[in-house]
Amino acid sequence: MDNLSDTLKKLKITAVDRTEDSLEGCLDCLLQALAQNNLETSEKIQGSGILQLFASLLIPQSSCTAKVANVIAEVAKNEFMRTPCVDAGLISPLVQLLHSKDQEVLLQTGRALGNICYDSHSLQAQLINMGVIPTLVKLLGIHCQNSALTEMCLVAFGNLAELESSKEQFASTNIAEELVKLFKKQIEHDKKEMIFEVLAPLAENDAIKLQLVEAGLVECLLEIVQQKVDSDKEDDIAELKTASDLMVLLLLGDESMQKLFEGGKGNVFQRVLSWIPSNNHQLQLAGALAIANFARNDGNCIHMVDNGIVEKLMDLLDRHVEDGNVTVQHAALSALRNLAIPVVNKAKMLSAGVTEAVLKFLKSEMPPVQFKLLGTLRMLIDAQAEAAEQLGKNVKLVERLVEWCEAKDHAGVMGESNRLLSALIRHSKSKDVIKTIVQSGGIKHLVTMATSEHVIMQNEALVALALIAALELVTAEKDLESAKLVQILHRLLADDRSAPEIKYNSMVLICALMGSESLHKEVQDLSFLDVVSKLRSHENKSVAQQASLTEQRLTVES
């Protein structure tokens, strides 16, 4: 290691003199020492103060530049050396060197920058601001034959693409075209994996999604799926998964999704349809998720339902009822839920037997499946009185809903169960449904729902409770009392933050509760008149009118 001290001293002198041969010899010794013991050599370099001289050595004309960059790349493998490299002002001259025509300089420069900025979002952001993205994309295009340089660019893209601020810059380059071109040439699994690792974060950006679709990435992905679907080799299974996952990701952009849908006639859409009946779980999953993504606008949903997609999804669900694949169940239910949104699809899906298919999963203990099951049923019964009544009289379903209304660990399931309970009453307006819900202990949950932080849920609860009070007050009276509904309504009316529709529906409900002696007494005891009379001058006309009506009712009944 004494040799090293001598080398460092000599390097200091030659760095000033700029004697190329002597400088090259010193750098070779340093690289050798780093290869033997990187840690100790790096510590010596840091202590020697030589880093500060490196900035002046990073010049395009010098024959030693690649070796200087290589030394920096090697020392920056150590975390403790990264800040000293930044402090020595090495980033700016390294970035300048990315315009070099020398492939070895480019390679070592890329490595040095990559190692210095490794794991530091702030330094990576600095590189983005210095414009390295367009420069690297250009390099990838020019040096696509140089596998080491290509790999360096891909590693850099993989790191930079994680940052949100990079996406816009990437979108303004022809990165999509370059990556797809490179991808088509790859035979090795590892290289394909590297490109996939760049594509996945980039494809989160809608503009880049569309560019990737236009550059022909989808055709590459479909080809991979076709080649690997029957293979049981680990690499092939991994590649199939990555390709089909990426395909689904591309469909998350509205423009890219519509481009691939092509009015339901597109080759891509047809190929994805063929994945659903496949025996490969990964393809079933990707197929169902793709359909859920295609089903993000009414036109697509109507077309797909008219062309038999519902039957395919129901068959898929049927294959996964017993000990099924949870992710496939979740994906198929997501697709059905989205397809049930357009009004014209609801009746068609109901008559196709979707509710029966979905109800088979009532016993599922998996919250994601429960959540989608509830959402699908809620979409199906929207404004479908007969279906809402049929489901609302299904004791097993209602009891399960009441149980899920208490799933405190799963807010989504809890919220959806409450919303479905309320929807069963609102859409059926049926006394039998209300009785079933009262007998199953659902009333207290609807009252709690009226205090939700989401106005839409509060409103749905109040409308359902008003229907209960109008149609079956005697049956529900005790439960409404023990759930302290009257006190909650008083709070909602007195709270300035309550939305106008909440105030309006609370007063409608107060009037409906007057038919019960015990609830009426509670209303009188709580001096509702004061609160209601203040609302007569409310800025919302409907609230002001309802306040006058409620005040009259309270006065007459007092």
Side-chain angles (χ1 to χ4, degrees):
M1 274 296 167
D2 288 340
N3 277 351
L4 181 58
S5 304
D6 294 341
T7 300
L8 290 168
K9 277 182 198 154
K10 195 173 171 192
L11 187 57
K12 271 189 180 171
I13 298 161
T14 49
V16 179
D17 294 349
R18 295 282 162 87
T19 325
E20 298 269 317
D21 291 347
S22 176
L23 190 55
E24 205 162 332
C26 292
L27 291 167
D28 284 337
C29 290
L30 267 192
L31 286 167
Q32 222 174 340
L34 282 163
Q36 285 164 1
N37 190 334
N38 192 312
L39 187 68
E40 203 175 319
T41 307
S42 296
E43 283 170 346
K44 283 262 175 98
I45 289 173
Q46 190 192 1
S48 71
I50 199 90
L51 279 179
Q52 276 67 17
L53 295 175
F54 279 3
S56 65
L57 296 175
L58 291 166
I59 45 173
Q61 313 78 285
S62 166
S63 59
C64 299
T65 304
K67 285 182 179 171
V68 177
N70 191 354
V71 171
I72 297 168
E74 288 303 315
V75 299
K77 285 178 178 175
N78 303 296
E79 202 179 329
F80 72 92
M81 287 300 288
R82 289 171 195 157
T83 306
C85 286
V86 176
D87 294 343
L90 299 180
I91 287 188
S92 191
L94 283 167
V95 169
Q96 290 307 311
L97 285 176
L98 289 175
H99 296 283
S100 168
K101 292 191 170 40
D102 183 319
Q103 296 190 19
E104 184 60 22
V105 170
L106 288 171
L107 178 64
Q108 299 305 341
T109 301
R111 285 185 61 234
L113 283 170
N115 290 349
I116 293 172
C117 301
Y118 181 73
D119 229 12
S120 163
H121 282 180
S122 61
L123 288 177
Q124 286 167 0
Q126 194 180 322
L127 289 184
I128 292 166
N129 291 337
M130 291 169 87
V132 301
I133 288 174
T135 309
L136 288 170
V137 174
K138 219 175 272 175
L139 288 181
L140 184 66
I142 298 167
H143 301 291
C144 53
Q145 303 306 323
N146 181 328
S147 64
L149 259 182
T150 302
E151 210 163 295
M152 181 274 286
C153 288
L154 289 174
V155 171
F157 294 149
N159 289 327
L160 297 173
E162 298 293 335
L163 269 73
E164 212 34 62
S165 59
S166 73
K167 305 281 203 292
E168 224 166 280
Q169 273 204 30
F170 273 120
S172 66
T173 69
N174 62 338
I175 183 81
E177 215 179 302
E178 293 296 353
L179 287 174
V180 173
K181 216 169 17 182
L182 192 63
F183 192 78
K184 284 177 178 168
K185 291 193 311 198
Q186 295 313 320
I187 304 157
E188 294 166 52
H189 171 75
D190 292 350
K191 277 277 166 59
K192 282 185 179 172
E193 275 296 299
M194 276 189 89
I195 301 172
F196 272 141
E197 277 170 26
V198 179
L199 288 169
L202 285 180
E204 286 166 12
N205 175 279
D206 283 358
I208 300 175
K209 279 187 182 81
L210 188 58
Q211 291 170 8
L212 289 168
V213 167
E214 286 170 343
L217 178 61
V218 173
E219 288 70 17
C220 298
L221 299 176
L222 289 172
E223 207 174 301
I224 288 177
V225 168
Q226 206 169 350
Q227 287 168 359
K228 313 290 181 187
V229 65
D230 298 319
S231 170
D232 45 15
K233 286 209 302 228
E234 215 170 293
D235 279 357
D236 289 349
I237 293 167
E239 216 169 296
L240 175 82
K241 179 178 174 6
T242 311
S244 52
D245 283 348
L246 190 51
M247 180 82 202
V248 171
L249 186 57
L250 291 175
L251 293 173
L252 277 171
D254 288 337
E255 278 188 87
S256 50
M257 178 269 285
Q258 276 310 87
K259 192 173 176 66
L260 295 171
F261 189 65
E262 291 181 69
K265 309 265 186 298
N267 168 43
V268 174
F269 173 64
Q270 296 303 329
R271 291 278 285 277
V272 162
L273 272 189
S274 72
W275 294 355
I276 291 174
S278 123
N279 289 321
N280 183 305
H281 281 184
Q282 175 56 34
L283 278 196
Q284 293 171 358
L285 170 65
L289 286 174
I291 297 303
N293 285 341
F294 280 127
R296 286 206 321 278
N297 75 35
D298 284 7
N300 293 3
C301 288
I302 293 163
H303 176 90
M304 287 193 277
V305 168
D306 286 347
N307 284 277
I309 189 68
V310 170
E311 289 69 17
K312 285 189 169 71
L313 289 166
M314 280 164 46
D315 287 347
L316 177 60
L317 273 176
D318 236 22
R319 295 163 69 181
H320 288 277
V321 175
E322 298 304 324
D323 313 318
N325 182 305
V326 172
T327 52
V328 175
Q329 293 171 357
H330 178 260
L333 289 167
S334 295
L336 287 171
R337 180 200 172 278
N338 289 0
L339 290 166
I341 293 172
V343 177
V344 292
N345 280 358
K346 296 180 197 295
K348 292 174 188 168
M349 290 175 73
L350 287 165
S351 61
V354 172
T355 42
E356 293 75 6
V358 169
L359 286 171
K360 289 177 186 169
F361 295 90
L362 256 190
K363 52 184 187 290
S364 170
E365 292 304 329
M366 306 306 289
V369 173
Q370 296 166 353
F371 180 72
K372 287 297 176 188
L373 171 151
L374 293 162
T376 308
L377 292 176
R378 187 164 63 80
M379 285 303 154
L380 281 170
I381 63 163
D382 190 8
Q384 306 295 311
E386 201 182 313
E389 179 159 13
Q390 212 182 338
L391 279 178
K393 292 193 293 195
N394 177 332
V395 179
K396 260 196 184 140
L397 168 67
V398 174
E399 283 177 348
R400 194 71 161 132
L401 289 184
V402 170
E403 185 188 323
W404 286 340
C405 282
E406 289 169 5
K408 295 211 168 29
D409 295 342
H410 301 285
V413 173
M414 195 162 89
E416 276 293 346
S417 307
N418 278 300
R419 293 188 77 182
L420 183 53
L421 263 190
S422 148
L424 292 169
I425 295 168
R426 288 182 296 112
H427 298 304
S428 71
K429 299 184 175 57
S430 148
K431 292 183 169 205
D432 289 340
V433 170
I434 294 169
K435 282 177 185 162
T436 307
I437 289 173
V438 172
Q439 280 155 11
S440 305
I443 296 296
K444 64 178 180 191
H445 296 299
L446 290 170
V447 175
T448 306
M449 185 182 168
T451 64
S452 163
E453 59 198 37
H454 304 290
V455 173
I456 194 164
M457 284 176 69
Q458 279 187 293
N459 223 20
E460 288 171 357
L462 291 170
V463 172
L465 289 164
L467 283 165
I468 292 169
L471 298 171
E472 273 299 325
L473 187 55
V474 179
T475 313
E477 184 179 49
K478 278 197 172 62
D479 287 358
L480 293 171
E481 223 178 309
S482 62
K484 307 215 176 336
L485 174 62
V486 175
Q487 286 96 307
I488 285 170
L489 293 174
H490 191 277
R491 263 209 318 275
L492 290 175
L493 289 171
D495 188 347
D496 292 337
R497 291 165 306 179
S498 293
E501 57 268 44
I502 301 301
K503 292 192 186 291
Y504 176 86
N505 284 323
S506 296
M507 289 187 281
V508 169
L509 185 47
I510 284 294
C511 295
L513 295 177
M514 298 303 223
S516 149
E517 207 175 305
S518 55
L519 293 167
H520 184 174
K521 186 176 180 318
E522 277 192 51
V523 171
Q524 283 181 318
D525 293 349
L526 267 176
S527 65
F528 265 82
L529 263 173
D530 301 349
V531 183
V532 171
S533 58
K534 279 184 195 154
L535 293 174
R536 277 206 330 250
S537 55
H538 197 277
E539 60 190 0
N540 182 295
K541 274 207 182 82
S542 304
V543 172
Q545 281 170 345
Q546 188 56 42
S548 296
L549 291 171
T550 308
E551 189 179 32
Q552 285 167 23
R553 184 81 191 267
L554 289 168
T555 313
V556 172
E557 305 260 353
S558 60

